[in-house]
Amino acid sequence: MTSASYIFLAGASRGVGREIAKCLTAQNLQVKALLRNESAVAELEAIGIQPVMGDALNVGDVEGAIIADQPIHTVISTIGGLPSEGARADFLGNKNLIDAAVKAGVQRFILVSSIGTGNSAGALPPQALATLGPVLVEKDKAEQHLIASGLTYTIIRPGGLKSEPATGNGILTEDPRIIGTIHRPDVAQLVCKCLNSQGSHNKTLSAVDKNMLAGEPEFVEFSF
């Protein structure tokens, strides 16, 4: 990355995205954040983030934000959640971000997805898989679109998320059978580590707290 390039963050208003915003600015990186409403603008500006107003479901908003004068080096997306007017951002919003990143010549795309997506479906208990099924289908479509885009990507699939302070025990693994929980700030720390790790290029990784695993499976921890 050059000193003139930016990280573009989608999903910074809450949850893991907000924790990533804190992590990035702590590293003195230049960050732009796509915001759908102004409720988080003041807080993000206070930590040095440049807000860009727009909706990820609107292609024009996304292209206008990413294809700009200031070069974007990496796009990080944590978007998803409740449907907006019948459309989930999990796929369509991320598709718009991925397509705009390709047009803008962005170097890297980090997508925060979920355990239970794609080949990690077997890690979830059947009841959880049935409940989350429609969301996971959309997240899988986003993952596949990113992989097919030609961008250098990292997909991070967290387990169950908790809004509690970081433990420092978050780990990544390429083993799709792993399931457990992890605190949101720990996911953010793992995302920021991947930002500076060539070893995480074109990898799909599950994220859990090593002390909050379901069962005692044997697996290989991803090494940065």
Side-chain angles (χ1 to χ4, degrees):
M1 285 182 59
T2 67
S3 59
S5 61
Y6 280 76
I7 306 294
F8 187 90
L9 178 59
S13 61
R14 60 186 174 84
V16 172
R18 176 63 68 90
E19 297 299 331
I20 292 171
K22 295 175 189 174
C23 183
L24 294 173
T25 53
Q27 294 183 32
N28 296 314
L29 295 168
Q30 296 190 101
V31 183
K32 290 184 179 183
L34 182 69
L35 297 176
R36 202 170 34 180
N37 59 61
E38 297 187 357
S39 60
V41 167
E43 288 180 49
L44 291 172
E45 285 182 333
I47 61 172
I49 287 177
Q50 181 180 331
V52 182
M53 303 309 298
D55 189 336
L57 290 170
N58 184 303
V59 174
D61 286 358
V62 174
E63 289 191 348
I66 294 179
I67 306 171
D69 294 338
Q70 298 155 319
I72 305 294
H73 181 278
T74 301
V75 174
I76 301 173
S77 176
T78 68
I79 63 172
L82 298 173
S84 171
E85 298 178 358
R88 295 199 70 91
D90 300 83
F91 171 56
L92 289 176
N94 281 312
K95 178 182 184 298
N96 291 340
L97 290 165
I98 293 162
D99 292 347
V102 171
K103 283 188 178 181
V106 167
Q107 299 293 307
R108 184 99 187 273
F109 199 111
I110 299 177
L111 176 64
V112 178
S113 183
S114 174
I115 286 180
T117 302
N119 67 346
S120 66
L124 290 186
Q127 186 175 358
L129 194 61
T131 302
L132 297 172
V135 181
L136 297 174
V137 166
E138 296 297 299
K139 289 186 181 297
D140 183 55
K141 285 160 67 177
E143 289 187 10
Q144 295 306 315
H145 192 72
L146 176 57
I147 291 167
S149 70
L151 292 166
T152 298
Y153 68 87
T154 304
I155 296 167
I156 296 177
R157 297 168 170 169
L161 293 166
K162 292 186 176 182
S163 294
E164 296 181 30
T167 67
N169 295 319
I171 58 98
L172 296 171
T173 178
E174 292 185 71
D175 193 326
R177 301 170 299 165
I178 295 302
I179 185 67
T181 56
I182 185 168
H183 295 178
R184 286 179 170 86
D186 288 307
V187 178
Q189 289 180 12
L190 293 171
V191 169
C192 290
K193 283 184 179 180
C194 284
L195 193 60
N196 300 310
S197 165
Q198 288 194 355
S200 67
H201 287 185
N202 302 325
K203 298 283 189 185
T204 299
L205 303 160
S206 294
V208 289
D209 188 301
K210 62 186 178 184
N211 294 332
M212 292 189 279
L213 290 165
E216 298 181 7
E218 289 187 10
F219 67 96
V220 177
E221 183 176 335
F222 176 75
S223 180
F224 289 97

